[in-house]
Amino acid sequence: MTYQELYQSGELLQRIREAFRRLKACDLCPHDCGVNRIRGERGICNAGLLPRIAAASVHTGEEPPISGSKGSGTIFLSGCSLSCRFCQNFPISQLGNGQDLSTRVLAEKMLRLQSQQVHNINFVTPTHYLPQLLAALWLAIPLGFKLPLVWNSSGYEKRDALQLLDGVVNIYLPDMKYADDEVAQQLSRAPGYRDINRTAVAEMLRQVGHLQLDDHGLATKGVIIRHLVLPGELSGTRETLGWIASNLGRQTHISLMRQYFPAHRAPDTPGISRKITNGEYDRAEGWLEEFGLENGWVQD
Ligand code: SF4
C-alpha cells in the first residue's frame, strides 16, 4: 500500500479521524498524558492542537541516501516527548521555539519543498504531531504531492500509534538512545525506554523492511537506525548493537554518531559533561565489526 492508495480508498481519512480522536485524552506516545489537546491542554511534549514548526528547509547534512545531491526537505517540529539533558536542539524541542501553523499551510510548505526538487520530506521529531502531519499529507496529495516521507524520530513511540503510519511512511530514521532504563530516565525522562524503543523499531522494520536504494543511491524505503555514542558507554552501545544484530538482522543500516558535545544541561550533569574520546568511538566501531553490522555510516 502507498499513501496515494490509502488516500484513494478512504483509509487515510479514517486514520486521520482515529489519530485526532486520540488527542482528546492524548495517548499518542508512551507518556500517556491523557490531556485534551483539542481543548488546548498540553502534556509533557508541550504540543497543542496546531502543529508548531521551527523550520522547513532544504537540508544536506543527513545520511547520504536521505540527503542525496539535492537535499532533504526537512520540517522541524517544535516540542518533544523526551527531555534530553544534552539536547542540541533544546530551543526547539524544550523551549518551544517555532510558529503554530494550520495543516493547510503545512501542506503548502511540503509542496514548496517538493518544487525545490528535494528527494523527500523529512519530519524531524514528529511523534506528538502524528494526526496533524497525516492531515497535512491528506491536503497535499490532491495538489500533486508525491515525495517519499521520512519519519525522523526519537524512537520513543507506541506500536499502535506507529500502525497509523503503515503504508504512509517510506523511510524510518529512529534513534536507539539507551539500553538501560535508569539512564534513560535520568538523562531523558523516558520511563521504560529500552523495551518501548525496541518494540517501536521492530514495528518500523515490519512495515518497511531493510533499507532499499534506487539507481542513484537514494533511499526509497526502509529503516536507518541512529545511535549517538555517549561518554562512558551511557548509551549502552554494545548492548544495543548486539540486540540489533540478533533481533533485526545484521543487514540493518546503522548510523553511528560521534558528534556528542555537552549541550543544554549536560555541562552540569555528571557523566555527560564532556565530549566522547576517540577511544570510545573506536570501541563502538569495533562492536559494529564484532556483531557483523556492515551496513551504514560511521563518522571520521
Ligand atoms: S504526545 Fe505529548 S501530550 Fe500526548 S501523550 Fe505524548 S507527551 Fe503527552
Side-chain angles (χ1 to χ4, degrees):
M1 272 267 180
T2 63
Y3 61 67
Q4 285 90 352
E5 288 166 341
L6 292 170
Y7 176 88
Q8 295 294 347
S9 68
E11 167 75 15
L12 184 57
L13 191 55
Q14 278 182 29
R15 290 197 200 173
I16 292 168
R17 289 192 176 123
E18 161 64 15
F20 272 96
R21 251 196 307 274
R22 295 179 69 148
L23 290 183
K24 287 184 187 168
C26 192
D27 66 347
L28 273 183
C29 88
H31 285 301
D32 285 329
C33 296
V35 294
N36 188 335
R37 287 176 53 190
I38 305 282
R39 291 214 192 121
E41 295 171 9
R42 292 172 191 259
I44 287 172
C45 63
N46 199 31
L49 179 58
L50 290 179
R52 183 171 292 182
I53 308 299
S57 55
V58 182
H59 190 45
T60 54
E62 306 286 34
E63 286 75 3
I66 305 293
S67 285
S69 57
K70 295 177 181 165
S72 176
T74 305
I75 296 180
F76 289 91
L77 285 306
S78 176
C80 186
S81 51
L82 297 186
S83 309
C84 300
R85 296 182 72 85
F86 52 86
C87 182
Q88 296 169 7
N89 287 329
F90 72 93
I92 298 171
S93 63
Q94 295 179 38
L95 303 184
N97 285 6
Q99 190 185 4
D100 289 348
L101 302 179
S102 68
T103 49
R104 182 164 296 281
V105 172
L106 180 53
E108 286 166 5
K109 285 188 180 292
M110 293 163 64
L111 288 158
R112 193 166 312 133
L113 285 165
Q114 178 172 275
S115 71
Q116 292 174 257
Q117 312 293 318
V118 296
H119 300 298
N120 47 59
I121 292 294
N122 179 356
F123 293 126
V124 181
T125 325
T127 308
H128 48 295
Y129 284 124
L130 185 152
Q132 295 87 342
L133 296 175
L134 287 180
L137 173 66
W138 189 79
L139 292 168
I141 290 171
L143 300 174
F145 181 76
K146 53 179 193 275
L147 289 177
L149 289 178
V150 181
W151 193 258
N152 183 341
S153 74
S154 68
Y156 188 58
E157 295 170 289
K158 292 167 83 166
R159 179 159 50 189
D160 61 1
L162 288 170
Q163 283 167 348
L164 294 168
L165 301 172
D166 194 357
V168 173
V169 167
N170 304 84
I171 301 139
Y172 282 105
L173 198 52
D175 290 335
M176 292 192 84
K177 288 178 180 293
Y178 305 108
D180 183 301
D181 285 347
E182 248 179 68
V183 179
Q185 179 62 18
Q186 279 168 10
L187 299 186
S188 296
R189 276 193 265 153
Y193 181 92
R194 189 188 76 160
D195 288 353
I196 287 170
N197 174 244
R198 291 177 179 183
T199 302
V201 174
E203 169 62 20
M204 294 172 185
L205 187 68
R206 183 197 70 76
Q207 289 182 21
V208 295
H210 288 292
L211 190 66
Q212 295 177 30
L213 306 178
D214 68 10
D215 294 343
H216 305 288
L218 292 169
T220 54
K221 199 176 176 191
V223 176
I224 298 171
I225 295 172
R226 283 180 166 170
H227 179 77
L228 176 69
V229 179
L230 293 179
E233 183 44 353
L234 285 169
S235 42
T237 302
R238 187 172 191 279
E239 188 184 330
T240 295
L241 295 179
W243 183 85
I244 292 170
S246 303
N247 294 275
L248 305 181
R250 286 187 295 175
Q251 66 272 54
T252 307
H253 281 71
I254 296 169
S255 182
L256 190 72
M257 301 187 295
R258 77 178 305 162
Q259 72 261 37
Y260 177 79
F261 68 91
H264 191 32
R265 298 163 72 191
D268 304 322
T269 305
I272 57 167
S273 59
R274 63 167 175 87
K275 290 183 173 180
I276 62 165
T277 63
N278 289 340
E280 284 172 324
Y281 192 76
D282 290 348
R283 206 159 55 236
E285 281 193 76
W287 291 326
L288 281 176
E289 210 170 301
E290 176 186 336
F291 294 117
L293 293 160
E294 292 181 355
N295 288 334
W297 301 268
V298 293
Q299 293 172 335
D300 289 336

